[in-house]
Amino acid sequence: MEAACSPTTAGKFVVVGGGIAGVTCAEQLAIHFPSEDILLITASPVIKAVTNFKQVSKVLEEFDVEEQPNTMLENRFPNIKVIESGVKQLNSKEHCILTEDGNQNIYKKLCLCAGAKPKLICEGNPYVLGIRDTDSAQEFQKQLTKAKRIMIIGNGGIALELVYEIEGCEVIWAIKDKAIGNTFFDAGAAEFLTSKLIAEKPEAKIAQKRTRYTTEGRKKEAQTKANAGNTGSALGPDWHEGLDLKGTKEFSHKIHIETMCEVKKIYLQEEFRISKKKSLTFPRDHHNQLVIADKEIWPVYVELTNEKIYGCDFIVSATGVTPNTEPFLCGNNFDVGEDGGLKVDDHMHTSLPDIYAAGDICTASWQPSPVWQQMRLWTQARQMGWYAAKCMAAASVGESTDMDFSFELFAHVTKFFNYKVVLLGKYNAQGLGLDHELILRCTKGQEYIKAVLQNGRMMGAVLIGETDLEETFENLILNQMNLSAYGEDLLDPNIDIEDYFD
């Protein structure tokens, strides 16, 4: 090996990444092998830990995500050794990882859980912010205090939450789909939630229930070298709690949604002046399509593919993530998925010997259950990290292990606009083609229920509000019972469906 003089650490198991997948994996390995040192390599002084874990049903789980200093993890598990450094290079032939601090870490089995980084609509523009981790969320809050108008680009979970939480600032929200929240909802559910956007929000702010450790004041030289913005792990499900997202103006909600469009070009103030183009004011009225040129001068302008141009104080890029594979690919022949992730088989094993991957960095490349799909979400990061540890443990003692039950059925519970949202199976009829039917029940302001059926069998569901149907629906999807006989009655509020199918 090249640098014989550099210090060497050896661990039977080495895990890279201090997010949910990496920490869960390291914790499980530490429990399986209490006498082995487990090395956890992370570029950040804080890790993400799962707290208040609740198994809600067979596959649904709820938990909080808490940022903790690395030492807390080492205190809980004395055999976990945290190495606070970025990864420089992986030498898979020699089973060795070189870290930025000059150390070589020799492994027998390695799990890569380095997460993903935000796709930015354009790199290096000071007016474009990507929100992915606590640091970038705080930077966003700082910028927002001075803002009169911002533009949000993207239609995933972070964009949805932002639009709901921001007050006192005009928001222009550009999405490439027909309806909001396309990764999570169909147009019906989007419509149900949009009415909540326009309504005034209740004042009651619930006290924040978790401690936050920030990395303020601990920005090391290493981080400036490693472009600080890319190393943080993803935000937790209620990341905006405790961030006061208020702009300069004295009103609650002002949102205008531009659908079916993307960013065509971004102009800085001077470039825009030279272009002689005209920008639009904030649309005051949804029905009156009066187009008024904007007299105000803005720091940055966005031209959309629908030819409209808006000026704003800054742009939030919330257009999804790219797997963070870069430090590992050089000199190693990994199979990589179309989405840029490291391909893993049904034992979370990559294409290279003794290297596993879990969480946002990986691409599930096994033949999935007909009602499961990979989504880069908290729940899956935890499940994959847990299962990868189980597979690594089994392989290291020459045993085999069965596929974990959590991959039988896609299940995710979250909150949007203060509603509980449960997504099950092929909740958006993903991959079912035209051959499916939807049964809906909606009570405005209260609940939205959608069941996706194919050949009389339930394949997926969306439950918004306190419906108490998650366990029943989960069972109906798992046991694939033929529901043709019930037709529309399946969601009749006067029939207690739980009595039928418990």
Side-chain angles (χ1 to χ4, degrees):
M1 287 170 66
E2 10 98 67
C5 56
S6 61
T8 304
T9 341
K12 188 169 182 176
F13 299 105
V14 176
V15 180
V16 177
I20 287 297
V23 172
T24 305
C25 182
E27 289 180 343
Q28 287 306 313
L29 287 167
I31 293 165
H32 278 293
F33 298 100
S35 58
E36 292 282 351
D37 274 354
I38 314 295
L39 301 184
L40 178 68
I41 299 174
T42 170
S44 163
V46 291
I47 52 106
K48 292 273 194 287
V50 168
T51 56
N52 305 329
F53 180 83
K54 284 201 296 285
Q55 192 73 45
V56 182
S57 63
K58 272 202 201 81
V59 285
L60 269 176
E61 52 188 53
E62 281 187 57
F63 55 85
D64 291 328
V65 174
E66 201 173 281
E67 280 199 335
Q68 299 176 347
N70 295 340
T71 47
M72 265 177 88
L73 181 65
E74 294 178 320
N75 293 345
R76 275 204 309 277
F77 297 94
N79 59 329
I80 293 182
K81 303 279 174 274
V82 179
I83 295 170
E84 198 182 304
S85 176
V87 169
K88 196 168 182 181
Q89 200 189 345
L90 164 65
N91 182 340
S92 58
K93 290 188 185 65
E94 305 281 355
H95 279 54
C96 169
I97 272 199
L98 194 64
T99 41
E100 299 279 0
D101 58 13
N103 262 317
Q104 300 194 48
N105 305 280
I106 313 286
Y107 62 85
K108 288 216 171 76
K109 299 241 178 280
L110 170 69
C111 191
L112 301 176
C113 308
K117 50 177 182 278
K119 283 183 199 151
L120 276 188
I121 41 183
C122 77
E123 294 287 340
N125 184 321
Y127 296 101
V128 177
L129 293 182
I131 297 191
R132 168 71 184 164
D133 49 32
T134 322
D135 283 353
S136 56
Q138 281 170 337
E139 177 56 28
F140 166 70
Q141 185 191 358
K142 253 190 233 146
Q143 300 284 347
L144 188 60
T145 54
K146 307 189 284 277
K148 293 193 291 257
R149 181 193 298 166
I150 68 168
M151 188 138 184
I152 296 178
I153 315 289
N155 201 6
I158 283 191
L160 272 173
E161 285 298 327
L162 266 184
V163 167
Y164 181 62
E165 288 293 329
I166 289 170
E167 295 179 351
C169 172
E170 295 172 347
V171 177
I172 293 173
W173 185 12
I175 60 178
K176 65 176 190 296
D177 314 290
K178 279 202 209 50
I180 66 165
N182 195 48
T183 29
F184 297 100
F185 312 122
D186 58 348
E191 183 55 36
F192 173 82
L193 286 170
T194 309
S195 60
K196 177 96 177 217
L197 263 187
I198 294 151
E200 285 295 306
K201 278 173 25 192
E203 264 312 282
K205 272 269 184 233
I206 306 131
Q208 187 191 337
K209 61 175 172 297
R210 58 182 69 102
T211 342
R212 281 240 162 72
Y213 294 91
T214 61
T215 56
E216 264 324 295
R218 287 199 60 182
K219 295 273 182 289
K220 296 188 208 44
E221 304 72 79
Q223 272 193 317
T224 37
K225 275 215 304 275
N227 174 5
N230 290 344
T231 45
S233 36
L235 287 162
D238 37 6
W239 59 273
H240 48 73
E241 296 273 331
L243 285 178
D244 184 20
L245 300 184
K246 274 194 165 48
T248 54
K249 300 201 169 181
E250 280 303 307
F251 51 76
S252 161
H253 264 59
K254 270 212 179 133
I255 292 153
H256 172 70
I257 305 175
E258 289 284 351
T259 57
M260 312 279 288
C261 67
E262 292 181 65
V263 174
K264 183 171 163 188
K265 191 166 168 27
I266 293 175
Y267 300 87
L268 295 174
Q269 200 175 72
E270 186 57 15
E271 294 170 327
F272 185 71
R273 198 179 62 79
I274 296 165
S275 78
K276 298 271 190 289
K277 297 194 171 193
K278 293 272 177 278
S279 72
L280 303 174
T281 55
F282 188 87
R284 294 284 156 234
D285 177 349
H286 292 299
H287 311 293
N288 176 3
Q289 290 304 316
L290 198 60
V291 176
I292 306 169
D294 196 351
K295 302 240 184 331
E296 188 145 357
I297 293 171
W298 298 94
V300 65
Y301 290 83
V302 182
E303 183 174 2
L304 299 170
T305 47
N306 62 9
E307 305 304 317
K308 293 183 184 176
I309 301 179
Y310 290 102
C312 58
D313 287 303
F314 66 91
I315 302 154
V316 178
S317 175
T319 49
V321 297
T322 318
N324 225 342
T325 54
E326 192 216 356
F328 312 108
L329 295 181
C330 180
N332 300 301
N333 198 7
F334 281 107
D335 284 351
V336 175
E338 279 171 31
D339 58 8
L342 303 175
K343 282 187 168 185
V344 292
D345 64 14
D346 57 2
H347 285 77
M348 306 310 289
H349 200 280
T350 66
S351 56
L352 295 181
D354 298 319
I355 301 182
Y356 297 74
D360 286 0
I361 194 175
C362 78
T363 300
S365 302
W366 62 85
Q367 187 59 52
S369 137
V371 286
W372 185 85
Q373 61 273 339
Q374 180 180 10
M375 277 181 86
R376 290 184 162 86
L377 300 165
W378 291 101
T379 33
Q380 287 193 359
R382 195 203 68 79
Q383 289 160 352
M384 285 176 168
W386 188 91
Y387 177 55
K390 200 172 139 187
C391 295
M392 290 164 79
S396 72
V397 294
E399 290 171 5
S400 68
T401 177
D402 289 335
M403 185 83 196
D404 191 70
F405 187 73
S406 58
F407 300 107
E408 283 301 303
L409 170 62
F410 175 86
H412 186 59
V413 60
T414 184
K415 254 196 150 86
F416 283 128
F417 303 177
N418 245 352
Y419 286 107
K420 177 179 175 180
V421 176
V422 176
L423 306 171
L424 295 171
K426 300 290 178 186
Y427 59 89
N428 243 354
Q430 298 95 317
L432 299 183
L434 296 173
D435 172 29
H436 67 269
E437 57 171 325
L438 304 178
I439 303 178
L440 299 173
R441 172 171 117 204
C442 179
T443 316
K444 202 176 158 105
Q446 197 181 338
E447 59 172 20
Y448 175 92
I449 301 169
K450 173 181 80 170
V452 180
L453 279 78
Q454 189 174 45
N455 305 326
R457 289 166 172 79
M458 197 180 293
M459 297 299 285
V462 175
L463 307 170
I464 304 179
E466 297 297 332
T467 65
D468 280 338
L469 289 172
E470 45 269 50
E471 282 202 67
T472 308
F473 278 26
E474 179 185 280
N475 287 331
L476 290 176
I477 298 172
L478 285 168
N479 66 27
Q480 288 293 290
M481 176 177 163
N482 191 336
L483 305 168
S484 311
Y486 301 97
E488 294 285 316
D489 286 348
L490 193 61
L491 295 185
D492 184 333
N494 303 315
I495 294 174
D496 196 351
I497 174 175
E498 292 161 76
D499 293 347
Y500 269 114
F501 305 115
D502 264 3

